[in-house]
Amino acid sequence: MRPTPELAALLRRTADRLQAQHWGFWDREYCWRDSTRCNCGLLVREALGWDQQQLSLHIHRGTWRSIAQTAYRTAAYVARDPSHCGATGLRLGYVFEKMAELGFDQPEDFAALEELSNPVILARLAEKGVEPLRRDYAPHVALYMRELADWIEEQLQAQAQLSPLTQPLPKAKATEVAVRQPLRLR
């Protein structure tokens, strides 16, 4: 995962909608076993502004990790031969290209969100007295997403603070120095 401000904001928006359960008329219920209404499915839908039907056209059955592994493995092939979906006209792998732009760029990112298993996030939540988490319980998913967003923002802040320290020192302006000849006494 590559920390980005957009990803932190996306996680917060998704957590808010998940808690409020406002996803549309037919799919108000969170459902971990449905790849369009699960942890990753809802994050992707929020990222792309899609409904359940639009997302189901772009993913196949399986876990988000397996789907992502297939998509990332074939990314080089897709770049050489950009196949398109007959129903939407979009490139196959479009979902994963967009998620990678936001910072969710590894199959493990999807697996960790789907299973609520990132050890750093789990440790942070345990420090706050929250454990164990259920991967299929919407309030726990929302809590995990918010903690992940907090962690991303902390990473970005640390990078911003380190950035000036890793920059090369400014070059001194070249000033002309008059070279003086030593005095010779005769």
Side-chain angles (χ1 to χ4, degrees), residues 1-2 9-10 13 23 27 47 52 54-57 60 72-73 75 99 119 139 151 157-159 172 183 186:
M1 178 180 335
R2 184 175 36 83
L10 172 64
R13 282 194 321 270
W23 292 92
D27 61 313
Q52 183 180 357
Q54 288 170 306
L55 183 57
S56 67
L57 291 174
H60 58 78
Y72 291 132
R73 230 188 344 255
M99 293 307 292
W151 178 81
Q157 186 177 23
Q159 288 173 3
L183 275 178
R186 289 190 198 212

Side-chain angles (χ1 to χ4, degrees), residues 30-44 62-67 104 107-118 133-137 141 144-145 148:
Y30 166 80
C31 181
W32 189 80
R33 286 186 168 73
D34 179 339
S35 58
T36 63
R37 297 185 297 151
C38 62
N39 308 354
C40 291
L42 294 177
L43 182 74
V44 169
T63 66
W64 273 94
R65 181 184 198 153
S66 67
I67 297 167
F104 238 55
E108 293 76 25
D109 299 338
F110 291 94
L113 179 60
E114 201 58 35
E115 299 293 329
L116 305 184
S117 62
N118 182 314
L133 293 179
R134 283 187 28 216
R135 68 183 182 192
D136 60 349
Y137 182 57
V141 177
Y144 184 93
M145 286 183 178
L148 181 55

Side-chain angles (χ1 to χ4, degrees), residues 15-103:
D16 290 346
R17 287 188 71 177
L18 182 59
Q19 232 171 351
Q21 292 286 320
H22 293 295
W23 292 92
F25 183 73
W26 290 109
D27 61 313
R28 291 180 57 89
E29 299 293 322
Y30 166 80
C31 181
W32 189 80
R33 286 186 168 73
D34 179 339
S35 58
T36 63
R37 297 185 297 151
C38 62
N39 308 354
C40 291
L42 294 177
L43 182 74
V44 169
R45 285 175 51 191
E46 182 67 22
L48 302 176
W50 288 355
D51 63 20
Q52 183 180 357
Q53 289 177 322
Q54 288 170 306
L55 183 57
S56 67
L57 291 174
H58 292 275
I59 60 170
H60 58 78
R61 290 191 172 269
T63 66
W64 273 94
R65 181 184 198 153
S66 67
I67 297 167
Q69 284 173 332
T70 301
Y72 291 132
R73 230 188 344 255
T74 60
Y77 173 77
V78 171
R80 290 190 308 265
D81 178 26
S83 302
H84 290 75
C85 173
T88 64
L90 295 173
R91 285 183 316 283
L92 300 175
Y94 174 81
V95 168
F96 297 98
E97 289 174 18
K98 290 300 176 188
M99 293 307 292
E101 288 173 13
L102 291 169

Side-chain angles (χ1 to χ4, degrees), residues 117-125 151:
S117 62
N118 182 314
V120 172
I121 304 308
L122 292 176
R124 290 170 59 105
L125 288 169
W151 178 81

